[in-house]
Amino acid sequence: MMLCARDVSFTIDRRTIVDRVHLEVAAGEFFGIVGPNGSGKTTLLRMLAGLRPPSSGVVLLGGVPMTALGRRDLAQRVALVEQQAETSERLSARQAVELGRTPHLSALTPWSRRDEAVVTAMIDLVGMAGFAARPWHKLSGGERQRLHIARALAQEPRLLLLDEPTNHLDIEHQIGLLALVRALGITVVAVLHDLNHAAMFCDRIAVMQDGLVCAVGPPPEILTRDRLAGVFNVDARVENDGEGGCFIRYTRPCPVHPRVAFGDFP
């Protein structure tokens, strides 16, 4: 499902958080958003999800303005996994994932065997089958994160939005989760903190700085040494991976000599 943001801005208390962003994400594309902290990535993602209306501009989903879609219709098409997703401590792991079926249920379409099958399949997909009966409050942060992904997938969305989805995950599950999401074949927009993850998995990325999108394109074209220095304030070498992609090698910074010696305190 194609997603388009046309000159969207978001302003609060006279401060512009996102400034006239124009993006087009093709159906089936894995699109990454990167940028330093405070650059507007999460605010933009919430506008793309239809959760925060732009102060100006419009977000289109399949050519239709999101504001024209009802909450139920939107939830059947779009799933968002936020950094700090809330889930009741009283639920089991499986019950948390079952919440993803809510947009598909009504008085005329009650819970069915298909709903059971979808929930089971999504729990299996994220490698949490052995945890389904476990109480939510006894799960680790990484286990909860994988279940949040499973709940989003249980919505059977055509557009999946992820805000730093690898938070709390070890390296095996970081790479495994992004590979899984890429293999789904649906449209994905992900805010990513790790630039090498963006280089490895994204078809295209947008770089944000001070609320603006300053570059959009395939990772090897966008993640240049000059841009990493200018936007992220790091020195790094960008190397070709031999498969049309790239990876980043960061240069160790010079040692910092603190002006305060801890032994000086009484």
Side-chain angles (χ1 to χ4, degrees):
M1 173 166 280
M2 184 174 180
L3 176 69
C4 179
R6 291 182 179 170
D7 296 320
V8 296
S9 297
F10 186 80
T11 302
I12 186 169
D13 296 331
R14 298 184 180 180
R15 186 166 69 96
T16 299
I17 310 299
V18 174
D19 191 5
R20 295 166 294 171
V21 167
H22 184 91
L23 293 174
E24 291 188 0
V25 182
E29 184 175 21
F30 193 133
F31 189 91
I33 301 174
V34 302
N37 290 342
S39 57
K41 303 184 299 296
T42 294
T43 299
L44 175 60
L45 195 72
R46 289 180 64 81
M47 287 193 288
L48 297 179
L51 296 181
R52 177 169 284 174
S55 301
S56 62
V58 63
V59 178
L60 303 170
L61 185 63
V64 179
M66 278 194 172
T67 52
L69 297 171
R71 299 292 297 179
R72 178 183 173 89
D73 288 339
L74 190 60
Q76 289 178 349
R77 294 170 171 82
V78 180
L80 169 66
V81 178
E82 300 187 81
Q83 290 185 51
Q84 302 294 333
E86 297 295 332
T87 298
S88 172
E89 296 285 331
R90 298 180 181 181
L91 296 179
S92 69
R94 183 180 180 87
Q95 288 171 331
V97 178
E98 288 175 353
L99 294 174
R101 298 303 299 162
T102 302
H104 301 278
L105 304 176
S106 69
L108 298 178
T109 54
W111 190 267
S112 67
R113 292 175 62 183
R114 186 179 187 280
D115 296 307
E116 288 285 342
V118 169
V119 169
T120 298
M122 297 308 121
I123 292 174
D124 289 347
L125 198 61
V126 299
M128 292 294 290
F131 296 78
R134 188 169 297 184
W136 186 261
H137 69 275
K138 292 187 177 181
L139 298 170
S140 70
E143 290 162 351
R144 292 185 183 192
Q145 185 70 351
R146 283 191 278 164
L147 288 165
H148 283 310
I149 299 290
R151 179 168 63 187
L153 296 179
Q155 289 179 229
E156 297 184 280
R158 298 170 65 186
L159 169 64
L160 179 62
L161 301 166
L162 304 169
D163 193 0
E164 298 192 15
T166 56
N167 275 359
H168 310 297
L169 300 180
D170 58 39
I171 188 64
E172 174 191 2
H173 290 107
Q174 289 177 22
I175 293 174
L177 176 64
L178 292 173
L180 165 65
V181 169
R182 182 174 174 83
L184 292 174
I186 63 175
T187 309
V188 178
V189 178
V191 170
L192 296 171
H193 184 72
D194 190 312
L195 298 181
N196 275 312
H197 286 167
M200 186 183 302
F201 293 103
C202 294
D203 298 304
R204 290 187 302 143
I205 59 174
V207 180
M208 293 195 70
Q209 185 178 26
D210 298 327
L212 295 164
V213 169
C214 59
V216 180
E221 296 179 11
I222 300 303
L223 298 176
T224 64
R225 184 170 189 169
D226 286 346
R227 182 164 287 117
L228 294 177
V231 175
F232 297 94
N233 198 31
V234 295
D235 184 26
R237 298 196 309 272
V238 182
E239 301 179 12
N240 193 305
D241 66 4
E243 299 178 355
C246 64
F247 60 91
I248 301 164
R249 294 185 183 275
Y250 297 100
T251 301
R252 188 190 303 270
C254 295
V256 176
H257 300 286
R259 297 179 180 180
V260 175
F262 289 106
D264 293 341
F265 293 100

